[in-house]
Amino acid sequence: MIWLLLAQAVSGSSDPAAASIATMSVAEKAAQLQSSAPADAEAGLPAYDWWGEGLHGLARNGHATVFPQAIGMAATWDPDLVRRIGDTVATEARAKFNAQPVAAPRRIYEGLTIWSPNINIFRDPRWGRGQETYGEDPYLTGTLGVAFVTGLQGPDPLHPKVIATPKHLAVHSGPEAGRDGFDVDPSPRDLEATYLPAFRMAVIDGKARSLMCAYNSIHGTPACADGALMNDRIRGAWGFRGFTVSDCDAVANIHLFHHYRLDGAAAAAAAVRGGTDLNCGNAYAALPDAVARGLITEAELDTALTRALTARRDLGIVYGAKSPWSRIKPSQIGTPAHRALALEAARKAIVLLRNDGDRLPLATTTRLAVIGANADDLGVLQGNYHGTAIVPVTPLEGLRARFGSVVYAQGSILADGAPVVVPETALTGLKAEYSVDGRTVATRAERRIDLDINRAAPVPQIRGDRFNARWTASFAPPGPGPYKLVVDVPACWKYCKSHDAVRLWIGDRQLAAGEVAKGRVEVDYVSDGAPVPLRLELDHVSDDEGIRLMWLPPEGPLLAQAVAAAASADVAVVFAGLSPDLEGEALPVQVPGFVGGDRTDIALPFAQQRLLAALKATGKPIVLVLASGSAVAVDPASADAILTMWYPGEAGGTAIADTLTGVSNPSGRLPVTVYAKTSDLPAFVDYGMKERTYRYFTGTPLWGFGHGLSFTRFGYDAVAAPGVATGTPITVTARVANTGARAGDEVVQAYLVPPSSGEPAGFTDPALQRQLAAFARVALKPGETKTVTLTIDPRSMGHVFRDGTRRVLPGTYRLWVGGGQPDAAAGRWIAIPVTGSPLDLPK
């Protein structure tokens, strides 16, 4: 710090960032521009890792409140709720940060720069990372993105609580395979009308302090080297003043996969000159060579570094700067208020798709069979990019708490060839012992081996992050046959230098032993159907993230258990769908329907179709609850009632129990289209919007974007809006009434159909069917009526022409206001005259 003060005095600068930079060599500057920045005492900088995650709760840094996955947050259609979730994520990030001195070095995931939200458009349900987004609509995505960014960064622009990083700029939504070198060629219309609006809103309305560029190229130029996008568009047209960061290893991809430059130095120079300030990875280690070769100037490095260090200063974590958020205490993690917010979000995210004969809600006296692999799986609660929930409640636990004794059967695996967690029914008398340095510190009964220990101790008696565990049980398979047992130890990402070790015994045979370097150990076991002793031991010596005992059992015994459970009950509640083991980022999975984290078929996997068919044959009523991060095509006739709970977060079990019993009236609405079949979709690699999303799809979906039922009914009247001049917002009013017998929330949706532009349709340019222009969530008691006011911004009225220009045209606009798209049961059409001259809007 003394050196920094001297440099500041010599330079005459009052800017500590400039003075700090003045002390650095080119190599030291390059080191600070990489995600894992080392300490530089002379420059007054402690070690800092820029990589932090907070998609739906503070992630990968120990215990935190886990909210519904982002797609579930989108299903709430509640910007205020999303803002409050963002604020909670920021509070818990500060609470973790403040537990150490401000100058303490920070490891990966321990900083205050949060690489969220993901505001890419979920254009195709096959993309495994679509769960991280806010769905398929630019306006909904942008509105919720602004809310989350605002919640994260807080109310004081001079002192951000944390810094948000909307990602991945731009035109990025799969496939996962080939993403490192994939080139996207969107039309000017699709770029302006679909792929950029949410980012524009996040910058202009949300005041995001950071942005992340994507892996892919756009028209042959890697996004992280695309000066027209990263400099001209975001800094010029949008007025962005923050710093940018590459997706991880995207800078190296510029030469390794895109072949846009021939070596690392040229790729690093292209990225900096193209507008990428920080590099996630170590590709910027080549910048000194780039400067020496004249590919880039030291002054250009200084510009990028100034942006980065200014952010650290504004966060109050360098140069002696102060932050009002430094008063947040470590106790502000997982508070009762935060847990209540997670429950509120999980309830509001649930979408009731079908309720034939008003099968729901259920009386708590109903004899319930709970069936399905997703009924009792921690990963299905938490989704991807998650923290470690403190008190997670699975659906099985939630329904037991509400209904008392229920009959449980796993019933099937999720997809042929994909293992699932061994259920409690196959592990009799399971006991866990935890020890540290050879001393047992805790012993407890557990129901299954399904533990998330990502920098979080499994029991309070463990104070550090290194321990040993032993599980013992009677392994009681449902019947004879071949079983594959899988010990899953999710490996930490690239920073791991070692891995945990496991040992597995069944009977008197040791079937596995040693370090789990690749994440999983698989063993085969042939059972005669009789119970045998099982012992599993874990040495947690690394940053590996957890342990699960999984299996691939023979199908027949599982189905027989499920059928018997349904036969003994009044109603079968089946928890089906997908899981983060099947859909996600760059996953090592290749089974029927899934490859690399993406889907090849949007239908419910065959194993679960066979389960539903067997249960249907019992004649018992079926309530189907889908857990997934994307739309799943199911036969509506396969169940009497169908709901989707997404990946619901730590309170998912309580939320679904509340909904099934009517304690909570379902009010979620779909943020995506549920297509009937995979053949309804264009090629996955095609980024044209023709026949994609509700805005351009001309077919008939299973359930449309915005759909969601309630246990009550809503009516609309007195929908009105005055005529306006081009460039003037439209103010719409509508009276909404709860005409049923239960209190409930309605999501009022306004869809705009602009007048014809007179522009001829192009081969690759689809015709816009309708466009969400405004929405509002309103709570209504039985018999209550409220007047709702919606404001439609001129940008939502603008027609995007084939050349990418956006213009508000005079003419008659048609507007639907109701509880869904224009085919919804409740709603009204109105016509709105817009007068004046055509008005061009800025990009």
Side-chain angles (χ1 to χ4, degrees), residues 293-307:
R293 289 163 55 185
L295 301 175
I296 194 168
T297 67
E298 191 171 353
E300 288 173 298
L301 302 192
D302 291 351
T303 297
L305 191 51
T306 297
R307 293 169 182 154

Side-chain angles (χ1 to χ4, degrees), residues 724-730 752-755 768 771 773 792-800 806-809 811 813 832-835 841:
V724 298
T726 53
T728 302
I730 299 173
L752 196 67
V753 179
L768 180 70
Q771 171 71 52
I792 299 176
D793 184 87
R795 290 196 71 82
S796 295
M797 301 164 60
H799 177 86
V800 178
R806 185 184 292 265
R807 185 176 303 153
V808 179
L809 302 172
Y813 288 71
I832 305 173
V834 176
T835 58
L841 298 174

Side-chain angles (χ1 to χ4, degrees), residues 599-669:
R599 301 160 68 189
T600 59
D601 191 337
I602 66 170
L604 188 70
F606 294 129
Q608 297 179 77
Q609 291 187 37
R610 294 192 293 270
L611 171 63
L612 283 175
L615 295 174
K616 188 77 171 177
T618 68
K620 291 300 178 78
I622 297 173
V623 175
L624 177 61
V625 182
L626 296 169
S628 71
S630 53
V632 179
V634 298
D635 179 1
S638 64
D640 300 273
I642 303 175
L643 309 91
T644 182
M645 68 176 186
W646 315 102
Y647 300 135
E650 64 179 45
T654 303
I656 196 65
D658 288 346
T659 301
L660 294 180
T661 56
V663 172
S664 172
N665 192 342
S667 59
R669 301 293 184 265

Side-chain angles (χ1 to χ4, degrees), residues 267-351:
V272 174
R273 300 196 92 176
T276 302
D277 300 319
L278 281 168
N279 160 224
C280 178
N282 55 19
Y284 275 5
L287 284 173
D289 183 27
V291 172
R293 289 163 55 185
L295 301 175
I296 194 168
T297 67
E298 191 171 353
E300 288 173 298
L301 302 192
D302 291 351
T303 297
L305 191 51
T306 297
R307 293 169 182 154
L309 296 183
T310 297
R312 290 179 69 176
R313 180 202 66 195
D314 291 352
L315 286 166
I317 60 176
V318 292
Y319 310 139
K322 303 297 181 184
S323 171
W325 309 110
S326 63
R327 295 189 293 268
I328 295 175
K329 294 179 171 57
S331 59
Q332 293 298 301
I333 296 171
T335 64
H338 294 178
R339 295 197 299 271
L341 184 61
L343 176 58
E344 178 187 351
R347 285 170 165 171
K348 288 183 173 180
I350 293 171
V351 182

Side-chain angles (χ1 to χ4, degrees), residues 185 205 230 248 276 303 367 447 509 706 769 774 835:
D185 295 304
D205 301 329
M230 301 288 287
C248 295
T276 302
T303 297
R367 292 181 303 159
R447 294 191 302 105
R509 293 178 55 205
Q769 306 293 306
T835 58

Side-chain angles (χ1 to χ4, degrees), residues 452-623:
D452 178 16
I453 47 176
N454 192 346
R455 300 185 184 178
V459 292
Q461 294 90 335
I462 296 174
R463 299 299 181 186
D465 55 1
R466 301 293 181 263
F467 63 87
N468 304 96
R470 176 188 293 130
W471 289 270
T472 55
S474 175
F475 179 53
Y483 290 77
K484 185 181 290 293
L485 294 176
V486 180
V487 182
D488 181 61
V489 182
C492 61
W493 209 67
K494 297 181 179 180
Y495 58 88
C496 268
K497 296 179 181 178
S498 64
H499 292 279
D500 291 350
V502 298
R503 294 169 294 279
L504 174 66
W505 290 263
I506 296 181
D508 57 1
R509 293 178 55 205
Q510 184 169 1
L511 300 181
E515 183 180 286
V516 188
K518 295 184 178 180
R520 283 188 173 180
V521 175
E522 299 183 357
V523 298
D524 293 314
Y525 173 72
V526 178
S527 171
D528 61 6
V532 292
L534 178 146
R535 182 164 97 248
L536 176 63
E537 295 178 349
L538 168 73
D539 298 334
H540 186 55
V541 296
S542 75
D543 282 331
D544 284 346
E545 298 173 357
I547 183 169
R548 298 182 295 175
L549 182 62
M550 309 177 78
W551 69 355
L552 283 170
E555 182 174 72
L558 280 190
L559 278 176
Q561 282 187 333
V563 169
S568 70
D570 299 324
V571 175
V573 180
V574 183
F575 288 88
L578 310 178
S579 82
D581 292 319
L582 295 172
E583 57 174 348
E585 181 178 5
L587 298 179
V589 59
Q590 188 166 355
V591 299
F594 304 88
V595 59
D598 293 326
R599 301 160 68 189
T600 59
D601 191 337
I602 66 170
L604 188 70
F606 294 129
Q608 297 179 77
Q609 291 187 37
R610 294 192 293 270
L611 171 63
L612 283 175
L615 295 174
K616 188 77 171 177
T618 68
K620 291 300 178 78
I622 297 173
V623 175

